[in-house]
Amino acid sequence: MSRWIEESLHADFRTALKADKILYDSETDKQRLVLFENATFGRVLTLDGVVQTTEGDEYIYHEMLAHLPVLAHGAAKKVLIVGGGDGGLLEEVLKHSGIEKVTQVEIDAGVVDFSRQYLSSICKAAYDDPRLDLVIADGLDFVAQCAERYDVVLVDSTDPIGPGEVLFSETFYGKAKDCLTPGGILVTQNGVPFLQGDELKNTMRAFKALFADAACYLATVPSYTGGPMAFGWGSGDAAKRRVDLATLKRRYKASGITTRYYNPAVHQAAFALPNYIAELAG
Ligand code: SAM
């Protein structure tokens, strides 16, 4: 029998998804993990009652979080992913043959094990790729002690509640910046500005103090309701954000990747902000 599952993320706004079948409902030592089947979105993963990813629209979020900075960089070899236990972001990043090494730091081994078993449509064989170094640790602890440098650092975190909270702190952003090679790019997931305006505001304030070039870009992900979601962008090299369309098209073609949402024109347009978001971004 189907039932409705209400998301508990926002104080004044709730969405519900019809669960045709609950496939899994259990607690890891970090969070409660529920997987259910929805006729439109396919398998839906929630952590502590908040939608993390769905089979139906994960490509939008993961493509925009992976390909946009990798292709903007143009010569990325080493990538650090913080969070992202479902493996969808990892799978997109590894599509680039020029990427030689990905370190993924995920706090909850339970999410990785679970995703390999139940969300293989999203992570595919990414967790078996020899270029991956998977570290089970807190992202803040990792960046605070990390001696390696990465061309691109991607933060695929839960929302700023529970274990994900530290990944929105100024301390974390500062330490993540220190993990970048010169001209490297940090990209963070920053929620849906219409409903989570402070999240973007605080991140952009921190980024402006840390980076020569701080901005955000947008993508509309149906299961993250309330309007487009924002991704924070920080780099010491402002040219990375202004790569011209012809160059992006050349890099995209040369990469050989196929995408369902990302393309070079969308890449450039994603940095155009409606006024209410530009005001939050400062
Ligand atoms: N796309 C999703 C979203 O926007 O809600 C995020 C998906 S991904 C499943 C988030 C991952 O971040 C989870 O697997 C969670 O365990 C991990 N995570 C949360 N806090 C973390 C921390 N402090 N360090 C490393 N990983 C963390």
Side-chain angles (χ1 to χ4, degrees):
M1 215 183 67
S2 60
R3 67 177 230 234
W4 287 86
I5 294 192
E6 214 175 77
E7 191 184 44
S8 58
L9 179 59
H10 307 293
D12 311 316
F13 175 79
R14 293 255 157 125
T15 43
L17 280 152
K18 197 181 196 181
D20 296 325
K21 194 173 172 195
I22 306 285
L23 301 168
Y24 192 91
D25 185 349
S26 185
E27 305 246 350
T28 70
D29 60 335
K30 299 278 185 301
Q31 47 212 341
R32 181 171 174 204
L33 205 154
V34 176
L35 184 77
F36 59 89
E37 189 77 43
N38 173 277
T40 299
F41 287 93
R43 291 185 172 192
V44 179
L45 171 67
T46 67
L47 292 179
D48 290 339
V50 180
V51 173
Q52 299 296 309
T53 195
T54 85
E55 286 182 321
D57 66 357
E58 59 86 23
Y59 67 93
I60 302 174
Y61 174 83
H62 292 133
E63 287 181 10
M64 288 299 276
L65 189 48
H67 304 315
L68 197 146
V70 169
L71 292 171
H73 188 286
K77 289 186 169 50
K78 280 169 67 180
V79 174
L80 172 66
I81 295 175
V82 179
D86 55 65
L89 177 60
L90 175 67
E91 200 264 332
E92 293 296 337
V93 169
L94 289 170
K95 283 181 179 171
H96 294 270
S97 56
I99 300 296
E100 293 170 359
K101 182 178 177 189
V102 180
T103 301
Q104 178 167 0
V105 185
E106 162 61 54
I107 201 168
D108 192 344
V111 181
V112 174
D113 294 343
F114 168 86
S115 299
R116 296 183 77 162
Q117 194 175 345
Y118 291 94
L119 290 174
S120 58
S121 59
I122 293 179
C123 63
K124 311 228 169 61
Y127 281 114
D128 299 321
D129 194 297
R131 292 173 290 171
L132 171 67
D133 179 19
L134 178 65
V135 180
I136 301 301
D138 174 71
L140 173 58
D141 291 345
F142 180 88
V143 293
Q145 291 161 20
C146 179
E148 275 204 66
R149 296 292 172 262
Y150 300 89
D151 304 308
V152 175
V153 175
L154 303 173
V155 185
D156 183 10
S157 62
T158 45
D159 290 277
I161 26 175
E165 196 174 351
V166 294
L167 304 181
F168 293 80
S169 65
E170 286 178 33
T171 313
F172 172 75
Y173 294 142
K175 299 289 181 195
K177 180 197 169 198
D178 294 342
C179 294
L180 290 171
T181 52
I185 302 165
L186 170 65
V187 173
T188 53
Q189 82 86 354
N190 275 108
V192 170
F194 185 81
L195 295 169
Q196 296 159 297
D198 283 347
E199 202 177 301
L200 181 63
K201 214 173 176 172
N202 295 338
T203 299
M204 286 297 100
R205 193 185 301 124
F207 273 32
K208 279 176 203 279
L210 287 166
F211 292 100
D213 189 43
C216 69
Y217 64 92
L218 306 176
T220 299
V221 184
S223 59
Y224 303 148
T225 47
M229 86 171 297
F231 300 88
W233 171 282
S235 178
D237 177 10
K240 295 281 194 302
R241 188 161 57 96
R242 301 196 173 80
V243 180
D244 62 78
L245 191 59
T247 305
L248 287 175
K249 281 185 175 170
R250 187 174 41 71
R251 288 178 185 172
Y252 179 59
K253 196 164 175 222
S255 75
I257 60 169
T258 50
T259 48
R260 293 179 68 202
Y261 187 91
Y262 175 92
N263 62 48
V266 165
H267 177 137
Q268 287 199 321
F271 286 96
L273 303 180
N275 290 353
Y276 81 95
I277 300 178
E279 274 166 31
L280 291 166

